[in-house]
Amino acid sequence: MGKTVSHCCYGRVLEKGMHLECKCHGVSGSCTTKTCWMTLPKFRQLGYILKDKYNQAVHVEPVRASRNKRPTFLKIKKPHSYHKPKDTELVYIERSPNYCETDQLTGSMGTQGRLCNKTALQPNSCDLMCCGRGYNTHQYSHVWQCNCKFLWCCYVKCNTCSERTEVYTCK
């Protein structure tokens, strides 16, 4: 299960990762004129930072004032905790739905019966997609006529080719 996280600090991460870049202009590389500008961090670097923040996201709950029903602040959701999350932390109030199982309410079909890749180390790998339930192996044979040749006057001779394939689906 993942976390439905607040988007509060994406802009902060982007702003914090900005840095000054400069370029020199002049004859033979001399730096008689210098132009500088602020630049964003590399997209991959930003992705790594946000993924780390997501993995360390803090579960919080709203604390309501006694007079009005609106939340006044968020506190870390742990027994006997009265601490507020840091400004640099990514927070979430509710856990994400479990997309491994069918859930009519969220419209999730689950992953049962989905095709997966047995050898991949990516999101479509059987280990990740099947959520630890394992996978079924289906073997198929495909037979067709191949290497066909036209023989003199009105006759075609073909070989029979076949190919076996394996397909993997989540249990």
Side-chain angles (χ1 to χ4, degrees):
M1 278 209 270
K3 309 155 192 140
T4 305
V5 294
S6 164
H7 62 279
C8 67
C9 53
Y10 295 136
R12 288 184 188 157
V13 169
L14 197 60
E15 186 178 347
K16 190 176 178 181
M18 290 182 72
H19 61 278
L20 190 66
E21 258 185 45
C22 296
K23 184 174 182 177
C24 286
H25 309 281
V27 181
S28 300
S30 67
C31 202
T32 54
T33 307
K34 193 178 194 182
T35 306
C36 296
W37 62 92
M38 293 300 288
T39 185
L40 295 171
K42 300 252 185 280
F43 188 74
R44 186 165 301 281
Q45 178 189 4
L46 183 64
Y48 288 142
I49 293 167
L50 290 174
K51 187 171 188 277
D52 286 343
K53 287 211 173 278
Y54 177 84
N55 289 336
Q56 297 168 14
V58 178
H59 195 180
V60 296
E61 62 184 333
V63 175
R64 302 190 187 286
S66 57
R67 291 187 187 168
N68 62 9
K69 300 291 183 198
R70 291 179 31 215
T72 54
F73 66 92
L74 298 172
K75 76 173 185 90
I76 296 173
K77 189 172 184 172
K78 285 184 183 172
H80 311 296
S81 174
Y82 300 101
H83 299 288
K84 292 181 184 180
K86 297 174 190 164
D87 287 345
T88 57
E89 290 178 309
L90 194 61
V91 299
Y92 65 98
I93 294 175
E94 294 178 11
R95 291 193 175 278
S96 297
N98 182 351
Y99 294 108
C100 293
E101 303 298 327
T102 304
D103 185 354
Q104 300 297 327
L105 191 64
T106 61
S108 172
M109 303 300 286
T111 61
Q112 185 176 3
R114 292 268 307 264
L115 289 174
C116 61
N117 188 329
K118 182 177 138 181
T119 57
L121 297 173
Q122 299 165 355
N124 69 336
S125 74
C126 291
D127 288 341
L128 287 173
M129 188 175 289
C130 300
C131 307
R133 294 186 311 263
Y135 56 89
N136 295 316
T137 303
H138 308 277
Q139 293 184 346
Y140 296 100
S141 290
H142 178 63
V143 179
W144 69 97
Q145 289 186 332
C146 61
N147 302 322
C148 296
K149 293 183 181 174
F150 178 73
L151 299 174
W152 179 248
C153 190
C154 315
Y155 183 69
V156 176
K157 182 179 179 187
C158 297
N159 293 340
T160 302
C161 292
S162 65
E163 179 182 53
R164 291 182 65 97
T165 58
E166 286 187 344
V167 175
Y168 308 98
T169 57
C170 293
K171 289 185 178 182

